[in-house]
Amino acid sequence: MKRKMNNTKIILVAFGLSGMLFAACSDHTKEGGVTKSGKPADANIGLSTVLQPVNSSVLSTVNAIVPKQKAVQTTIPAEGYLDFDTRTFNNIAARFSGRIEKLYIKYAFQEIHRGQRIFDIYSPDMVTAQQDLIYLNRNSAQETNLVDAAKQKLLLLGMSAAQVDKVVKTGKPFNSLPVYSPYDGHVHDVAHSQMPGSTAVRPEQNFTGNLPLLIKEGMYIEKGQPVFNVVNPHHLWAILKIDRSAVAGLKLNQPVKISSPDMPGKTINGKVDFIEPFLQDGDKSTSIRVYIDNMDHTLKVNALVKVTIQTGEINALWIPRAALLDLGETKIVWLKNGPLFKARQVSTGIINGNEIQITKGLAVTDSLAENAQYLTDSESFIKTRENEK
């Protein structure tokens, strides 16, 4: 009898629970999928969904976006500075040893012109060579080959034809010889030269001032020794640093627009003239050069510049840069799958402003998280299908 009563109680409890469950389902249906708290109820979210590991799937209400297939005018932003165009650097070196008797160049960056007298030099070797010519002309004038060879030696050492003729005519050597500039430009002392390899050190490295030259009157110079470096200030180049991620879209002759805080409202048009084929030690960027005319001298060396390089047009799949999580060699997006966001590895191309090109791993119909960093657990290793194999 007791066993029957116990069975009857169990049956009644079961019927009671069933009735409560039915009533709850009826209330949910009538309220249109909205709980009593006023929040939407998603019947698709089950216990297995909630218990997904957060390093491969995330349950979130973050905004979702879709990739865009479009043609984009691609540009590469860069920054750099202006410097002398070293192709215009010319050295004036001593053709013979001697002592500087008179110096006509007084300070660094002094402007000189081709044919301008820059210093007078006394050289025992040149005096001896002139005396040899005078002796041959007086005593062996019939030996024309010897006389011509002596004249040619003086010409090769830097004397002009008029000076050689004067030596022959007067029979007197020049004790000091004038040296003329073969170039136009600004004089740089060899110690201030922008050319690499200069080992001379000056305590005061203020190149903007009119510094006195290290070379002085009365100093001796050796044959072949560089005395001055002449730079043409009419030609500069912009040296720009390009991030390695943008090098793939970089080519010679691409249009370049240059602006500088020193030139408000002014833009200089140029092109990519040179791409360095190597990386500097410890530098992960690539340097390029843009050659610039500076005929009016408005541009100053070492001025900072900002550059936009036009690299063409690319028809590709693009997403915002914030939607991509860069883990070094691996690039991750959070792909929306129902209520979940799942990590997916993608391959990327160039960066254009705030957008990045996707070359593999996404389709136009995919939906992904607008902010990938927001869904990432900083203490977890993100698992994707590729790295779980």
Side-chain angles (χ1 to χ4, degrees):
M1 186 70 180
K2 288 182 179 181
R3 181 177 299 176
K4 290 182 178 179
M5 291 179 66
N6 290 336
N7 291 337
T8 303
K9 288 180 179 180
I10 292 173
I11 293 172
L12 290 174
V13 169
F15 274 112
L17 292 174
S18 300
M20 293 172 64
L21 181 62
F22 178 78
C25 292
S26 299
D27 291 342
H28 178 76
T29 304
K30 291 177 181 180
E31 291 178 10
V34 180
T35 63
K36 291 182 179 180
S37 63
K39 295 182 179 179
D42 194 335
N44 294 326
I45 301 178
L47 185 62
S48 60
T49 300
V50 175
L51 296 180
Q52 293 268 2
V54 297
N55 59 351
S56 61
S57 301
V58 177
L59 181 63
S60 176
T61 58
V62 68
N63 291 336
I65 60 171
V66 294
K68 295 182 180 179
Q69 181 77 35
K70 59 181 180 179
V72 173
Q73 293 287 338
T74 56
T75 61
I76 299 176
E79 295 182 351
Y81 62 95
L82 300 180
D83 201 355
F84 290 110
D85 187 344
T86 57
R87 298 175 303 167
T88 68
F89 282 22
N90 295 292
N91 278 336
I92 299 177
R95 293 190 177 186
F96 44 83
S97 303
R99 182 181 70 245
I100 295 181
E101 296 288 304
K102 180 67 175 177
L103 189 63
Y104 300 97
I105 306 299
K106 300 300 183 181
Y107 55 89
F109 295 92
Q110 183 174 341
E111 186 175 1
I112 63 172
H113 302 282
R114 185 189 303 270
Q116 181 177 337
R117 192 171 183 173
I118 53 178
F119 61 86
D120 296 339
I121 184 171
Y122 164 75
S123 171
D125 294 337
M126 287 296 289
V127 172
T128 301
Q130 293 175 75
Q131 289 173 341
D132 291 342
L133 174 59
I134 293 169
Y135 178 83
L136 289 172
N137 188 59
R138 286 178 180 174
N139 300 291
S140 302
Q142 68 280 6
E143 299 291 341
T144 56
N145 290 337
L146 292 177
V147 174
D148 291 342
K151 290 180 180 180
Q152 187 65 25
K153 180 180 179 179
L154 291 172
L155 292 173
L156 292 174
L157 288 174
M159 288 186 66
S160 66
Q163 290 171 333
V164 173
D165 290 340
K166 188 173 182 179
V167 169
V168 173
K169 184 177 180 180
T170 61
K172 294 180 180 179
F174 288 96
N175 288 327
S176 62
L177 289 170
V179 177
Y180 300 93
S181 172
Y183 310 111
D184 294 318
H186 288 178
V187 171
H188 287 220
D189 202 14
V190 174
H192 329 125
S193 175
Q194 304 291 320
M195 295 181 67
S198 177
T199 57
V201 176
R202 172 182 287 272
E204 184 183 0
Q205 295 291 332
N206 180 16
F207 297 132
T208 59
N210 294 327
L211 301 177
L213 298 171
L214 288 186
I215 199 76
K216 306 291 184 182
E217 293 178 355
M219 293 179 63
Y220 281 85
I221 55 177
E222 298 295 330
K223 181 179 180 180
Q225 175 184 340
V227 180
F228 297 120
N229 179 225
V230 181
V231 178
N232 188 344
H234 296 152
H235 300 282
L236 303 178
W237 59 30
I239 299 178
L240 311 171
K241 293 292 185 179
I242 306 298
D243 189 82
R244 292 177 64 180
S245 61
V247 171
L250 196 62
K251 294 180 177 60
L252 292 175
N253 299 318
Q254 288 174 333
V256 174
K257 291 186 177 180
I258 302 175
S259 61
S260 172
D262 299 335
M263 307 178 299
K266 182 178 180 181
T267 301
I268 299 174
N269 294 319
K271 61 184 178 68
V272 177
D273 292 293
F274 179 77
I275 304 173
E276 287 190 354
F278 58 88
L279 297 176
Q280 300 285 352
D281 292 340
D283 191 354
K284 295 184 179 180
S285 60
T286 298
S287 295
I288 70 169
R289 299 177 194 165
V290 178
Y291 303 145
I292 303 173
D293 288 332
N294 189 31
M295 303 306 293
D296 54 0
H297 294 190
T298 56
L299 304 176
K300 306 302 180 184
V301 171
N302 292 331
L304 299 179
V305 294
K306 292 185 177 181
V307 174
T308 302
I309 305 172
Q310 303 289 335
T311 58
E313 183 179 272
I314 293 182
N315 192 339
L317 199 64
W318 301 88
I319 64 171
R321 294 178 65 176
L324 181 80
L325 184 64
D326 191 344
L327 302 178
E329 295 184 357
T330 304
K331 310 292 190 298
I332 298 295
V333 297
W334 291 98
L335 200 65
K336 186 173 177 59
N337 183 13
L340 288 178
F341 287 91
K342 291 184 175 292
R344 175 179 288 185
Q345 183 174 346
V346 296
S347 299
T348 60
I350 67 171
I351 298 173
N352 184 55
N354 292 324
E355 294 184 316
I356 187 167
Q357 178 191 5
I358 301 298
T359 58
K360 183 180 178 182
L362 281 183
V364 181
T365 55
D366 289 331
S367 179
L368 62 149
E370 184 179 29
N371 191 327
Q373 191 68 45
Y374 180 77
L375 300 180
T376 303
D377 183 356
S378 61
E379 298 182 357
S380 298
F381 174 76
I382 297 177
K383 292 183 180 180
T384 61
R385 184 175 298 177
E386 287 77 4
N387 58 37
E388 288 179 346
K389 293 180 180 179

